[in-house]
Amino acid sequence: MKQQVFEECPKCGNVNVQQLDENSWFCLDCDWDNLTEIATGNDELLTSLLHGDIHSRRIAAQSLINIGDVDRHLASPTDIEAMLKALNDEDADVRYFVAVALGKLNARDCLKRLKQLAQDDVSALVREGAQTAIQQIEAHVEKE
Ligand SMILES: [Zn+2]
């Protein structure tokens, strides 16, 4: 199989495209990705998120943020407990996706943990993702 290389995002044209593994790419600026391999049920998704190998943990975490894509399994508020555990994953990509997904879920109970990540995580990507999530959640709080 020929390896695909994306130098820019086919959807928004930005160059913030990241490679997960050989043929898996996603855009940091919009929701674009070329991932097709996603678990079939939420339970399965959360199981791979917490217990899979590094590839399946990344795929599972990434699929949590495809809000609006009905064929995929998205995070729902009942997943938050598992997602909080996944914020401790040793892999920065996993922590990043989970943080972003928590922001999209408006998971206000996770604010404290997200603020910790935004400050202390070793990965700049994760700190940025957590910061985005915090802003999203706090914007909701202000509207109420
Ligand atoms: Zn994009």
Side-chain angles (χ1 to χ4, degrees):
M1 191 158 78
K2 194 179 168 289
Q3 195 179 327
Q4 259 188 305
V5 176
F6 290 93
E7 286 177 0
E8 57 181 45
C9 170
K11 192 172 162 191
C12 72
N14 289 351
V15 294
N16 276 338
V17 181
Q18 297 258 320
Q19 184 173 22
L20 270 186
D21 58 31
E22 227 178 322
N23 287 300
S24 308
W25 297 76
F26 67 95
C27 174
L28 286 174
D29 292 332
C30 68
D31 285 338
W32 176 82
D33 67 66
N34 71 345
L35 309 179
T36 49
E37 191 185 319
I38 283 174
T40 50
N42 252 19
D43 287 347
E44 206 178 309
L45 182 72
L46 294 174
T47 304
S48 13
L49 178 66
L50 295 177
H51 308 291
D53 59 19
I54 190 152
H55 175 75
S56 35
R57 296 206 309 280
R58 285 178 177 175
I59 298 286
Q62 208 278 341
S63 67
L64 293 170
I65 65 178
N66 287 297
I67 296 220
D69 190 343
V70 288
D71 293 333
R72 291 177 165 186
H73 289 274
L74 310 173
S76 68
T78 53
D79 301 336
I80 286 176
E81 203 180 317
M83 290 165 73
L84 267 174
K85 278 187 204 149
L87 282 179
N88 300 320
D89 199 286
E90 63 185 18
D91 183 66
D93 286 333
V94 173
R95 298 198 302 280
Y96 167 78
F97 288 129
V98 173
V100 172
L102 285 168
K104 291 197 175 196
L105 274 177
N106 188 26
R108 170 181 316 200
D109 295 346
C110 304
L111 261 181
K112 204 174 145 204
R113 181 74 183 98
L114 286 168
K115 283 181 174 167
Q116 259 172 6
L117 275 188
Q119 216 163 27
D120 302 333
D121 200 279
V122 290
S123 152
L125 181 70
V126 176
R127 294 197 301 274
E128 192 189 308
Q131 196 54 50
T132 307
I134 291 164
Q135 281 162 2
Q136 239 168 347
I137 296 170
E138 287 184 340
H140 260 273
V141 173
E142 277 160 29
K143 264 185 249 159
E144 277 160 22

